[in-house]
Amino acid sequence: MNVNDSEKVAGLLEARGFEAVATPAEADFVFLNTCAVREKATVKFQQSLVRLGRMKRGRPELRIGVGGCVAQLEGEGLAARSPQVDVLVGTHNLRRIPELLELAESTGRMAVDLDRHADAFDVPDAVTAHANPVRAYVTAMEGCNLVCSFCVVPRTRGPEVNRPAEDIVAEVEAVVAQGYGEVMLLGQTVNAYRSRGRDFADLLALVDAVAGLRRLRFTTSHPSHVTERLARALRDLERVCPYLHLPVQSGSDRVLGSMRRGYTRAQYLETVALLREHVPHVALSSDVIVGYPGETPAEFDETLSLVESVGFDGLFSFSYSPRPGTTALRLDDDVAEQEKRRRLNVLNGHQQQWQRRRNEALVGRADDVLVETIDGPGRVSGRTPQFRIVHLDGPESLLGQVVNVEITGAGSNSLQGRVSQLTH
Ligand code: SAM
């Protein structure tokens, strides 16, 4: 979602005659698109802002913009302590960036728009400067109605707003016409999508029917909104890829309850079983938080055992980070940093080993790879329908093509392959 927001900002600026440069030192305008999910990201942002402030002292014509979740969260406070900033926008005001930049230029003062009630879908589709040559991100919904105790997102992005299916389909048709073979539908809880009597399975069916689309993905799914209809859509719709990112966060019922995730360990495992019953080859990835307030070693072991029993294709593990305005902030952040790190290492170690074993078992098999990256002269890479990365020998002209590949090697994070056939 952040990547897509940056693509929108880049496109809006390009439409005003700006062009992308490689480093801030070459830029007339630097826009920092911020993330507030963990403290680490906000610290990195503050450091970047200090560096840019220093750069601006030597080059006063440099303009600095800040947007995204930290801007929304810290608002006027950020404005007051960051005089180097020229443009400050919240999560719903990206469209106004060029206009605010002109305003800042003409007044010599910071131009601010933090109106969270503005229309978040008002950036014209055609403007987005897609960063990936093959995959276009398309927003299905914004915001989040959940109340997870640890998560700042509902405060920064506001409640759920669903985009009309007709608008989503029109954008997909447009990006496919521009040559993007793959679409990824975006939403904080994308599978909770509901608009004018249509649910997420209906939306997938509508988008799947767009002529010329090769692959359809979506992220992020919430376990409580995985239905049998969604499992059937994954099974039956030809372009929908068999891959779901399904954050579990913890394997302990006590922790899940305190997190207010809305499901138990058993219910999560039932959801996984439902998906695998309909789509046996479905790939699942997940997010896990370690060191949540009060998490005991035994509760962490329950997370490890859940991760072991599901066998995720990918796992993103995070140390719990207290965030402003969340209900978990009232709880004592009592797991020591060192212990959080130990738990992360245990999980990551297990996951890396599992991924290597799983990938090694794929050697000798064939799969379809949509080529999306040029790795170097004569080397390209792409992804299988299950979102697994495969590196190949092949010319640049394979970019955007689906090739049938024989898997010849495996590491824990990617596969090696040999082209057996150009599919299309
Ligand atoms: N709605 C999205 C979802 O469910 O995936 C939220 C995305 S959030 C940006 C990605 C992940 O960050 C979450 O799934 C969670 O594991 C992690 N996260 C969120 N808040 C956190 C916190 N306070 N501390 C540590 N990790 C956190």
Side-chain angles (χ1 to χ4, degrees):
M1 192 166 283
N2 289 66
V3 169
N4 184 230
D5 280 348
S6 292
E7 292 176 340
K8 288 175 184 167
V9 177
L12 285 163
L13 293 168
E14 282 169 13
R16 297 285 179 117
F18 282 79
E19 57 186 68
V21 289
T23 63
E26 299 161 71
D28 300 314
F29 179 52
V30 177
F31 183 77
L32 296 174
N33 183 17
T34 61
C35 171
V37 168
R38 282 172 295 278
E39 197 190 356
K40 204 164 148 189
T42 69
V43 169
K44 271 162 80 177
F45 152 65
Q46 297 292 354
Q47 290 166 346
S48 300
L49 197 53
V50 168
R51 269 199 306 278
L52 286 171
R54 252 185 249 130
M55 193 180 282
K56 189 170 176 166
R57 281 205 288 280
R59 201 154 63 84
E61 69 284 4
L62 174 66
R63 295 289 168 262
I64 300 172
V66 176
C69 287
V70 177
Q72 190 69 59
L73 197 63
E74 299 188 8
E76 302 291 345
L78 175 67
R81 65 170 191 274
S82 314
Q84 69 271 48
V85 173
D86 301 284
V87 172
L88 183 66
V89 290
T91 48
H92 287 54
N93 326 103
L94 298 181
R95 184 176 186 164
R96 294 205 57 220
I97 291 171
E99 179 195 332
L100 294 174
L101 185 55
E102 279 169 21
L103 188 67
E105 203 66 66
S106 62
T107 60
R109 296 215 313 271
M110 186 186 304
V112 181
D113 187 354
L114 297 165
D115 178 8
R116 215 175 68 173
H117 303 291
D119 178 4
F121 303 133
D122 65 348
V123 175
D125 300 344
V127 156
T128 307
H130 299 283
N132 183 301
V134 170
R135 178 181 314 117
Y137 297 108
V138 172
T139 304
M141 54 135 70
E142 273 279 353
C144 185
N145 283 352
L146 298 176
V147 287
C148 303
S149 64
F150 53 84
C151 188
V152 77
V153 170
R155 269 196 84 197
T156 60
R157 294 212 177 237
E160 227 169 68
V161 188
N162 293 283
R163 198 177 171 202
E166 293 73 16
D167 294 0
I168 298 169
V169 170
E171 184 170 359
V172 172
E173 285 170 345
V175 294
V176 169
Q178 285 168 49
Y180 296 94
E182 181 173 307
V183 161
M184 189 179 279
L185 298 176
L186 298 179
Q188 292 293 338
T189 50
V190 73
N191 59 333
Y193 178 86
R194 201 156 260 289
S195 175
R196 299 179 189 159
R198 292 192 178 105
D199 70 3
F200 188 59
D202 294 323
L203 177 66
L204 285 179
L206 287 174
V207 176
D208 184 76
V210 171
L213 178 69
R214 288 175 179 174
R215 288 184 174 181
L216 177 55
R217 302 185 186 278
F218 52 89
T219 199
T220 293
S221 299
H222 189 279
S224 303
H225 291 277
V226 173
T227 58
E228 184 147 6
R229 275 171 57 70
L230 175 58
R232 278 199 237 112
L234 276 171
R235 181 193 62 195
D236 298 337
L237 299 173
E238 214 175 301
R239 296 172 188 85
V240 176
C241 292
Y243 167 71
L244 243 94
H245 184 60
L246 201 62
V248 64
Q249 313 298 3
S250 170
S252 146
D253 281 341
R254 204 237 6 122
V255 174
L256 287 172
S258 174
M259 286 177 165
R260 301 207 234 167
R261 285 292 286 175
Y263 53 83
T264 60
R265 174 191 178 98
Q267 285 166 334
Y268 184 89
L269 291 173
E270 277 164 27
T271 302
V272 169
L274 172 79
L275 289 164
R276 287 183 169 159
E277 179 195 328
H278 287 79
V279 190
H281 55 291
V282 71
L284 300 171
S285 60
S286 199
D287 293 342
V288 161
I289 296 178
V290 303
Y292 180 81
E295 186 190 61
T296 63
E299 287 168 342
F300 167 70
D301 287 345
E302 291 185 74
T303 299
L304 182 60
S305 81
L306 180 135
V307 167
E308 281 169 353
S309 71
V310 174
F312 290 109
D313 246 64
L315 188 69
F316 303 90
S317 310
F318 307 107
S319 257
Y320 170 71
S321 165
R323 304 308 297 132
T326 58
T327 51
L329 196 64
R330 293 191 219 117
L331 306 174
D332 191 11
D333 180 18
D334 55 358
V335 181
E337 277 311 308
Q338 206 185 349
E339 176 60 11
K340 286 180 180 169
R341 267 202 303 280
R342 184 193 71 82
R343 294 179 193 181
L344 274 187
N345 286 340
V346 170
L347 263 183
N348 288 336
H350 160 79
Q351 184 62 23
Q352 288 291 303
Q353 273 182 19
W354 158 250
Q355 284 179 205
R356 180 176 288 277
R357 281 207 307 280
R358 196 276 331 274
N359 282 349
E360 282 168 355
L362 298 173
V363 173
R365 298 218 202 154
D367 214 340
D368 282 341
V369 171
L370 174 53
V371 177
E372 62 177 71
T373 310
I374 296 165
D375 290 342
R379 289 287 289 169
V380 296
S381 58
R383 292 190 186 254
T384 69
Q386 278 89 349
F387 214 50
R388 295 173 185 142
I389 296 172
V390 185
H391 298 278
L392 313 162
D393 283 337
E396 286 183 17
S397 58
L398 288 184
L399 200 64
Q401 308 279 321
V402 176
V403 286
N404 191 259
V405 162
E406 185 199 333
I407 304 300
T408 54
S412 45
N413 294 317
S414 65
L415 299 159
Q416 301 288 332
R418 183 171 44 228
V419 181
S420 17
Q421 193 188 327
L422 199 62
T423 312
H424 45 260

